[in-house]
């Protein structure tokens, strides 16, 4: 309930900020059309996924996203930014400690995703009306709304299988989910015309199936692909007898009380 309340509050705040920015944009554009208040950025970084298949919520190493964005300074301390990101997330129960419920559950996934969002950026420093006179360090807060396309998959007999089509929990979910980006960052002035941006962005999502794990085990016929992918406890030795006995149809496979989320460090 708390997470849902936070999400709706962020939507309201983001919409209000964009309305404020739009109200003042016309005058700002008229006075500063020739100034360099439009910027384009290209970036990459690390991802963190928060869901059922990441026992310690670790951030995966390596460059796992690619981002392209365009930003327009609409007001003294407010910008609008449109951002497109390709990113990958993954999780595996095999990294959980031995004897844990997760290690016995033995599920895994990988998903290659796309995200498109619109954000309001609120800067600490006011715009100096001249791009060349901008601050050396310019911290900002980012709030917005976006949409993500996701498609979780896993390996079975060394072949990649897309899990949405299998319906491992008997649930049909879509390809797209609403996301609410929240971020903190800073722009560092490198040259007269070049910035470097450091940013941490957290994504609240409106799906718990980013990793294809959410609710309870369901009954499938033995040795079908649905049964093999839904319950993989027998593919590893018994490391937790209590968990092994509990991983049956009608019992929890995931935790449907919280949606999945992810973090980008760029």
């Amino acid at each position: 309930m708390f997470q849902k309340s936070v999400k709706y509050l962020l939507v309201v705040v983001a919409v209000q900020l964009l309305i404020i920015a739009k109200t003042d944009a016309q005058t700002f554009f008229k006075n500063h059309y020739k100034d360099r208040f439009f910027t384009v950025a290209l970036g990459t970084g690390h991802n963190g996924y928060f869901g059922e298949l990441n026992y310690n919520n670790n951030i995966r190493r390596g460059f796992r996203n690619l981002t392209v964005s365009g930003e327009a300074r609409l007001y003294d301390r407010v910008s609008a930014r449109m951002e497109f990101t390709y990113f990958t997330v993954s999780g595996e129960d095999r990294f959980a400690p031995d004897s844990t419920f997760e290690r016995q559950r033995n599920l895994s996934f990988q998903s290659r995703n796309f995200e498109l969002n619109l954000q309001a950026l609120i800067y600490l420093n006011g715009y100096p009306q001249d791009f060349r006179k901008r601050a050396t360090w310019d911290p900002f807060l980012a709030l917005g709304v976006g949409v993500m396309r996701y498609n979780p998959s896993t390996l079975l007999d060394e072949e990649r299988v897309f899990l949405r089509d299998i319906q491992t929990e008997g649930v049909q979910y879509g390809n797209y989910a609403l996301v609410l980006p929240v971020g903190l960052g800073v722009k560092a002035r490198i040259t007269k015309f070049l910035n470097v941006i450091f940013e941490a962005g957290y994504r609240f999502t409106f799906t718990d199936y980013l990793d294809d794990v959410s609710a309870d085990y369901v009954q499938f016929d033995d040795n079908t692909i649905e049964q093999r992918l839904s319950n993989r406890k027998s593919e590893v030795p018994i490391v937790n007898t209590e968990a092994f006995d509990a991983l049956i149809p009608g019992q929890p496979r995931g935790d449907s009380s919280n949606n999945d989320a992810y973090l980008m460090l760029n």
Side-chain angles (χ1 to χ4, degrees), residues 198-258:
F198 303 94
E199 183 174 357
Y202 189 87
R203 267 59 170 174
F204 296 93
T205 80
F206 283 79
T207 180
D208 195 30
Y209 281 99
L210 179 60
D211 50 18
D212 192 64
V213 180
S214 176
D216 298 336
Y217 286 96
V218 296
Q219 184 69 56
F220 293 109
D221 293 336
D222 290 341
N223 297 320
T224 60
I225 188 171
E226 291 85 358
Q227 188 270 333
R228 293 182 65 193
L229 289 174
S230 174
N231 195 332
R232 310 189 74 166
K233 66 178 184 179
S234 298
E235 296 180 15
V236 295
I238 298 178
V239 297
N240 184 322
T241 303
E242 183 179 355
F244 187 89
D245 294 338
L247 297 172
I248 58 176
Q251 296 301 309
R253 187 171 183 259
D255 179 7
S256 60
S257 63
N258 288 306

Side-chain angles (χ1 to χ4, degrees), residues 114-157:
F114 298 94
E115 179 194 295
L116 179 66
N117 68 60
L118 179 63
Q119 300 182 53
L121 274 58
I122 307 169
Y123 286 92
L124 179 65
N125 300 312
Y127 190 64
Q129 316 306 332
D130 187 336
F131 187 79
R132 295 167 296 181
K133 297 179 181 179
R134 67 193 186 282
T136 303
W137 298 95
D138 201 359
F140 62 87
L141 168 69
L143 297 170
V145 63
V147 63
M148 169 189 63
R149 187 184 189 280
Y150 64 108
N151 195 15
S153 65
T154 192
L155 290 175
L156 180 66
D157 299 331

Side-chain angles (χ1 to χ4, degrees), residues 44-51 54 56-67 83 85-90 109 113 115 117 142 148 179-185 198-205 210 259-266:
T44 187
H46 306 284
N47 296 343
Y49 140 77
F50 306 102
N54 189 1
N56 290 319
N57 290 328
N58 292 323
I59 296 176
R60 291 299 181 94
R61 297 178 180 178
F63 297 110
R64 297 171 63 86
N65 70 68
L66 179 63
T67 298
E83 189 174 65
T85 303
Y86 166 78
F87 66 102
T88 63
V89 290
S90 60
F109 90 104
N113 312 314
E115 179 194 295
N117 68 60
M148 169 189 63
V179 298
L180 299 180
V182 180
L184 290 173
F198 303 94
E199 183 174 357
Y202 189 87
R203 267 59 170 174
F204 296 93
T205 80
L210 179 60
N259 288 334
D260 297 325
Y262 54 97
L263 174 73
M264 295 185 183
L265 300 176
N266 292 348

Side-chain angles (χ1 to χ4, degrees), residues 102-118:
E102 289 80 2
R103 184 68 187 91
Q104 189 68 69
R105 183 176 57 181
N106 191 41
L107 298 175
S108 65
F109 90 104
Q110 181 187 72
S111 185
R112 298 178 179 179
N113 312 314
F114 298 94
E115 179 194 295
L116 179 66
N117 68 60
L118 179 63

Side-chain angles (χ1 to χ4, degrees), residues 5-18 143-145 178-180 206:
S5 299
V6 171
K7 290 177 180 178
Y8 288 122
L9 178 61
L10 291 172
V11 171
V12 172
V13 172
V15 170
Q16 288 178 338
L17 290 171
L18 291 175
L143 297 170
V145 63
L178 184 69
V179 298
L180 299 180
F206 283 79

